[in-house]
């Protein structure tokens, strides 16, 4: 009896200790997961507000470019508006004069700086050069809104800065945060979103909250302009796990339940561990492996069967920034998710898929060679990808580079560098293509010659080409849109095909020798800045009179390279005939 009592007491104490530890562990897990969700969705809410702020910045840039005016405001605002925007407004000198849409928002045409409710904070934004948010406040159309006011400053004729007015976006509270707040509610959380009343006031006002009261919530703070925001979360059932307390009574009665309780603790621990491991390896947006997860599993796959052949591919979305700028980051995310979904449908289940970050994705195909992969990867690349925006389907395209193990690289890291070099080569020659790695391609040139050069050349105010500076074997590398338009080509591929990638084939036959002699005479004589006049062949076989102005540069990959700007000789005479003597 005594021994039984001792066993019972020891069993009771052990059971109580196990229950206590289990309860504490689950509470810590809840705190950790809640903190992760508060951070994740707090950042998402911040981004949703930032999307509205971005509209005001776009209008600000248009005002700066237009010297204080915006032509076709309604058309521009219509392109910028999204589902969460109630209205877009312009307020020169602090007086709202333009509203889109105007219908139903006429009451918004007020003098902000003198308004009783809006004057103080608007003056503060004007005087301190900061963007401010104000609200929530009731909208005439129903619901609540938040105003984002961005002060705009221009320069007068003497270069002095002056206050032009405000660019304004009114956001609907129930729409702008609906996705994030609905998600945390579905995940079993009570929430509260608050912001400071004004930049100079630390008092918080509630923007949106769930029905029940929050007790000891997890808080995530962020700042917009000089105003502080706070996003708070707590589980709907509270932090304590009442089931563990009930389990204690069962454990005290029966030793079997004690063992069952121990088993439950182990299983719960392992389940939580797997969840966190999965969270660490998966990309939340696309539900495929993130870079860490992909690299880890790719190394394991190759190490497990080092004699097998593998194809590693890198791909990204062509002009992804344009999607974000035109349609907004929400639809950019949809494009990325749709791309990941198309990868899952297209590739077999044994293919490893990952997202490196941004709009770049990676693929590892086992038991595959260059010959096996070419047709399949080309088919996937050329198939248009789509996303829906406001009921309309929009297409986007990708570029892809790939390399074979062990032919091109002896490990995963080398393989990815080779795939990256092939991807860059595609980007340099027109995008929306698929290329296998070959000897001579260097991903290291990417920062020196690639994207920076393309960005510069695309925005130069003139026709521009780059070609290899070789007297016997010149090779065209690049031509910007304005040059292609000047001589009548649709794209870079058509230009390369028609000219056989030779600058010499652009020069009229009877001028080739004299032209090339003149160029190299300047170079060899140390003079790189003279203009040269000649007739350049257009795509239809006709000729155009041009002046070229070139410079020779040493590059790591191609050696000496010509950067050449072209000017239409007839345009000079037409526009500047009164200046030409």
């Amino acid at each position: 009896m005594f021994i039984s009592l001792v066993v019972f007491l020891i069993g009771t104490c052990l059971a109580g200790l196990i229950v206590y530890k289990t309860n504490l562990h689950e509470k810590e897990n809840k705190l950790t997961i809640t903190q992760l969700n508060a951070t994740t969705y707090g950042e998402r809410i911040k981004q949703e507000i930032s999307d509205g702020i971005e509209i005001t910045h776009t209008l600000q840039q248009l005002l700066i470019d237009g010297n204080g005016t915006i032509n076709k405001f309604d058309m521009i605002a219509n392109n910028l508006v999204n589902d969460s925007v109630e209205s877009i407004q312009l307020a020169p000198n602090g007086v709202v004069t333009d509203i889109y849409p105007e219908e139903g928002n006429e009451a918004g045409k007020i003098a902000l700086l003198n308004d009783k409710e809006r004057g103080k904070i608007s003056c503060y934004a004007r005087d301190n050069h900061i963007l401010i948010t104000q609200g929530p406040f009731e909208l005439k159309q129903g619901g609540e809104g938040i105003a984002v006011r961005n002060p705009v400053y221009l320069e007068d004729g003497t270069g002095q800065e002056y206050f032009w007015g405000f660019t304004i976006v009114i956001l609907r509270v129930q729409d702008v945060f609906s996705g994030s707040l609905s998600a945390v509610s579905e995940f079993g959380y009570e929430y509260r979103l608050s912001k400071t009343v004004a930049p100079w006031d630390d008092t918080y006002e509630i923007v949106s909250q769930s029905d029940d009261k929050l007790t000891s919530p997890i808080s995530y703070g962020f700042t917009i302009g000089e105003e502080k925001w706070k996003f708070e979360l707590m589980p709907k059932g509270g932090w304590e796990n009442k089931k563990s307390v009930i389990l204690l009574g069962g454990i005290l009665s029966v030793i079997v339940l004690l063992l069952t309780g121990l088993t439950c603790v182990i299983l719960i621990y392992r389940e939580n561990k797997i969840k966190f491991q999965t969270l660490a390896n998966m990309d939340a947006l696309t539900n495929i492996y993130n870079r860490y997860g992909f690299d880890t599993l790719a190394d394991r796959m190759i190490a497990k069967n080092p004699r097998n052949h593998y194809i590693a591919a890198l791909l990204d979305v062509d002009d992804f920034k344009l999607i974000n700028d035109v349609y907004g980051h929400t639809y950019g995310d949809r494009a990325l998710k749709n791309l990941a979904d198309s990868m899952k449908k297209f590739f077999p289940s044994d293919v490893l898929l990952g997202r490196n970050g941004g709009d770049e994705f990676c693929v590892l195909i086992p038991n595959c060679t260059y010959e096996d992969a070419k047709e399949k990867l080309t088919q996937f690349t050329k198939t248009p990808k789509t996303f829906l925006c406001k009921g309309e389907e929009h297409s986007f395209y990708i570029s892809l580079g790939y390399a074979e193990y062990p032919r091109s690289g002896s490990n995963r890291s080398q393989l990815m560098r080779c795939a990256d070099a092939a991807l860059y080569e595609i980007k340099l020659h027109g995008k929306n293509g698929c290329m296998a790695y070959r000897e001579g391609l260097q991903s290291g040139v990417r920062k020196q010659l690639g994207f920076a050069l393309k960005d510069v050349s695309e925005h130069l105010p003139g026709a521009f080409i780059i070609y290899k500076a070789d007297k016997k074997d010149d090779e065209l590398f690049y031509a910007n849109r304005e040059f292609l338009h000047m001589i009548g080509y649709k794209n870079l591929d058509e230009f390369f095909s028609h000219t056989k990638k030779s600058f010499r084939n652009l020069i009229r036959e009877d001028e080739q020798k004299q032209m090339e002699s003149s160029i190299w005479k300047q170079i060899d004589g140390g003079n790189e800045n003279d203009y040269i006049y000649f007739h350049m062949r257009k795509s239809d076989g006709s000729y155009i009179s041009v002046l070229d102005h070139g410079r020779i540069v040493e590059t790591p990959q191609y050696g000496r390279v010509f950067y050449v700007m072209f000017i239409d000789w007839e345009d000079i005479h037409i526009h500047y005939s009164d200046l030409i003597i």
Side-chain angles (χ1 to χ4, degrees):
M1 186 67 181
F2 175 76
I3 295 176
S4 298
L5 181 59
V6 170
V7 170
F8 178 77
L9 291 174
I10 293 174
T12 301
C13 292
L14 183 59
L17 179 62
I18 292 171
V19 172
Y20 170 75
K21 288 290 186 180
T22 303
N23 191 43
L24 181 62
H25 180 68
E26 291 184 354
K27 183 177 180 180
E28 289 174 350
N29 280 345
K30 281 187 177 182
L31 287 168
T32 301
I33 295 172
T34 302
Q35 183 66 66
L36 285 172
N37 281 318
T39 302
T40 299
Y41 286 97
E43 277 299 308
R44 184 174 294 183
I45 288 170
K46 180 181 178 181
Q47 183 60 51
E48 289 165 346
I49 301 172
S50 298
D51 290 343
I53 292 173
E54 190 61 31
I55 295 175
T56 69
H57 287 158
T58 300
L59 295 174
Q60 177 185 13
Q61 189 58 51
L62 290 173
L63 286 167
I64 293 172
D65 294 343
N67 196 24
T69 60
I70 296 180
N71 294 323
K72 300 181 179 179
F73 168 73
D74 284 354
M75 182 183 72
I76 293 171
N78 181 56
N79 289 331
L80 294 174
V81 76
N82 58 48
D83 294 339
S84 60
V85 173
E86 176 63 32
S87 65
I88 299 174
Q89 306 176 4
L90 295 179
N93 297 315
V95 180
V96 178
T97 58
D98 297 277
I99 301 178
Y100 180 87
E102 188 171 16
E103 184 178 353
N105 293 298
E106 295 85 357
K109 292 186 176 182
I110 58 175
L112 296 172
L113 300 177
N114 299 320
D115 186 75
K116 180 180 178 181
E117 296 178 358
R118 304 167 181 82
K120 186 175 181 180
I121 193 168
S122 297
C123 290
Y124 184 91
R126 177 198 62 187
D127 297 339
N128 292 275
H129 292 222
I130 63 166
L131 180 145
I132 57 97
T133 61
Q134 187 175 10
F137 50 81
E138 291 186 2
L139 296 170
K140 299 292 185 182
Q141 299 81 357
E144 294 185 320
I146 291 178
V148 179
R149 302 193 189 102
N150 184 21
V152 178
Y153 303 85
L154 303 179
E155 289 184 357
D156 59 21
T158 65
Q160 295 295 315
E161 185 182 78
Y162 70 94
F163 172 69
W164 179 88
F166 295 99
T167 56
I168 305 167
V169 170
I170 307 299
L171 302 173
R172 289 191 292 270
V173 171
Q174 63 268 31
D175 292 332
V176 73
F177 307 126
S178 60
S180 298
L181 298 182
S182 295
V184 296
S185 182
E186 289 175 4
F187 290 159
Y189 289 101
E190 303 291 348
Y191 65 84
R192 180 166 59 225
L193 177 64
S194 311
K195 64 178 286 291
T196 51
V197 176
W200 59 85
D201 192 338
D202 288 333
T203 303
Y204 281 86
E205 60 182 351
I206 296 174
V207 176
S208 182
Q209 67 177 356
S210 55
D211 297 332
D212 292 342
K213 183 179 179 182
L214 275 68
T215 304
S216 302
I218 292 293
S219 178
Y220 177 75
F222 56 90
T223 302
I224 296 177
E226 290 188 3
E227 294 165 312
K228 298 176 182 177
W229 289 68
K230 184 166 57 177
F231 184 52
E232 298 169 285
L233 284 182
M234 69 162 287
K236 289 184 178 180
W239 300 107
E240 299 295 333
N241 193 337
K242 296 179 181 179
K243 292 182 180 179
S244 296
V245 177
I246 297 172
L247 181 63
L248 175 60
I251 293 173
L252 292 173
S253 304
V254 185
I255 298 298
V256 175
L257 292 180
L258 173 62
L259 296 175
T260 303
L262 288 171
T263 304
C264 288
V265 172
I266 294 171
L267 291 175
I268 291 172
Y269 173 78
R270 290 184 61 187
E271 183 180 351
N272 286 334
K273 184 178 180 181
I274 292 171
K275 286 182 179 179
F276 281 115
Q277 286 176 340
T278 302
L279 182 64
N281 289 311
M282 300 299 290
D283 177 63
L285 175 66
T286 59
N287 200 31
I288 61 176
Y289 288 106
N290 58 25
R291 182 169 186 171
Y292 172 78
F294 179 90
D295 289 353
T296 301
L297 291 177
D299 285 336
R300 288 179 187 172
M301 285 176 64
I302 295 174
K304 186 176 180 180
N305 297 291
R307 296 185 179 181
N308 286 1
H309 290 264
Y310 296 86
I311 287 291
L314 279 179
L315 59 106
D316 67 10
V317 179
D318 295 334
D319 302 314
F320 180 68
K321 184 178 184 298
L322 186 64
I323 295 176
N324 281 334
D325 290 345
V326 173
Y327 303 102
H329 290 276
T330 299
Y331 294 102
D333 286 348
R334 289 187 185 180
L336 296 178
K337 189 177 186 307
N338 288 357
L339 174 56
D341 290 342
S342 69
M343 292 168 66
K344 294 175 194 175
K345 293 178 182 178
F346 186 86
F347 292 103
S349 59
D350 62 339
V351 173
L352 187 63
L353 306 177
R355 180 188 177 196
N356 275 357
D359 65 317
E360 186 174 84
F361 293 78
C362 43
V363 180
L364 184 67
I365 309 174
N367 302 312
C368 190
T369 64
Y370 278 135
E371 293 74 17
D372 300 329
K374 181 178 179 180
E375 182 177 351
K376 193 172 187 66
L377 291 179
T378 301
Q379 178 188 353
F380 177 74
T381 303
K382 291 299 183 180
T383 302
K385 316 298 185 292
T386 62
F387 64 95
L388 283 174
C389 177
K390 298 180 181 178
E392 284 189 45
E393 192 171 67
H394 299 271
S395 296
F396 65 94
Y397 300 89
I398 64 169
S399 296
L400 184 148
Y402 62 100
E404 180 186 338
Y405 168 92
R407 191 187 303 185
S408 301
S410 60
N411 55 52
R412 188 262 316 159
S413 181
Q414 290 180 2
L415 205 59
M416 286 303 176
R417 283 197 294 271
C418 292
D420 183 68
L423 172 60
Y424 170 62
E425 194 72 6
I426 285 292
K427 289 292 189 182
L428 191 63
H429 292 86
K431 305 177 184 178
N432 188 215
C434 175
M435 178 180 287
Y437 173 78
R438 65 177 185 271
E439 289 296 325
L441 299 182
Q442 299 180 24
S443 61
V445 179
R446 191 173 189 133
K447 294 179 181 177
Q448 301 167 15
L449 181 64
F451 290 92
L453 171 63
K454 182 178 183 299
D455 291 341
V456 171
S457 62
E458 286 293 354
H459 297 94
L460 281 173
F464 185 88
I465 69 168
I466 306 166
Y467 71 95
K468 185 178 179 181
D470 190 305
K471 292 182 180 180
K472 296 182 179 180
D473 185 25
D474 68 85
E475 180 183 359
L476 289 165
F477 292 143
Y478 184 76
N480 70 352
R481 291 192 186 95
E482 190 160 338
F483 179 85
L484 296 175
H485 177 73
M486 174 188 283
I487 61 173
Y489 287 100
K490 296 178 182 178
N491 52 52
L492 202 58
D493 288 338
E494 183 183 70
F495 172 61
F496 284 157
S497 175
H498 197 270
T499 61
K500 299 180 180 178
K501 298 191 73 174
S502 173
F503 175 67
R504 186 176 291 108
N505 291 333
L506 288 171
I507 308 169
R508 198 170 72 184
E509 289 80 356
D510 61 336
E511 295 178 343
Q512 287 181 0
K513 290 184 179 179
Q514 180 183 354
M515 172 73 172
E516 292 174 353
S517 174
S518 177
I519 291 173
W520 287 104
K521 183 178 181 181
Q522 290 180 28
I523 297 300
D524 295 337
N527 184 359
E528 303 181 28
N529 292 309
D530 281 353
Y531 287 89
I532 296 177
Y533 174 84
F534 70 100
H535 293 84
M536 185 163 60
R537 182 192 297 272
K538 298 180 68 175
S539 64
D540 60 5
S542 63
Y543 292 91
I544 180 174
S545 302
V546 297
L547 287 178
D548 94 32
H549 183 253
R551 174 161 296 179
I552 197 166
V553 177
E554 291 288 342
T555 67
Q557 181 178 6
Y558 299 107
R560 295 203 297 176
V561 171
F562 272 126
Y563 293 67
V564 187
M565 185 79 76
F566 293 88
I567 303 172
D568 188 324
W569 180 249
E570 293 184 4
D571 282 350
I572 294 177
H573 278 271
I574 292 172
H575 295 290
Y576 303 100
S577 58
D578 58 330
L579 299 178
I580 298 176
I581 300 175

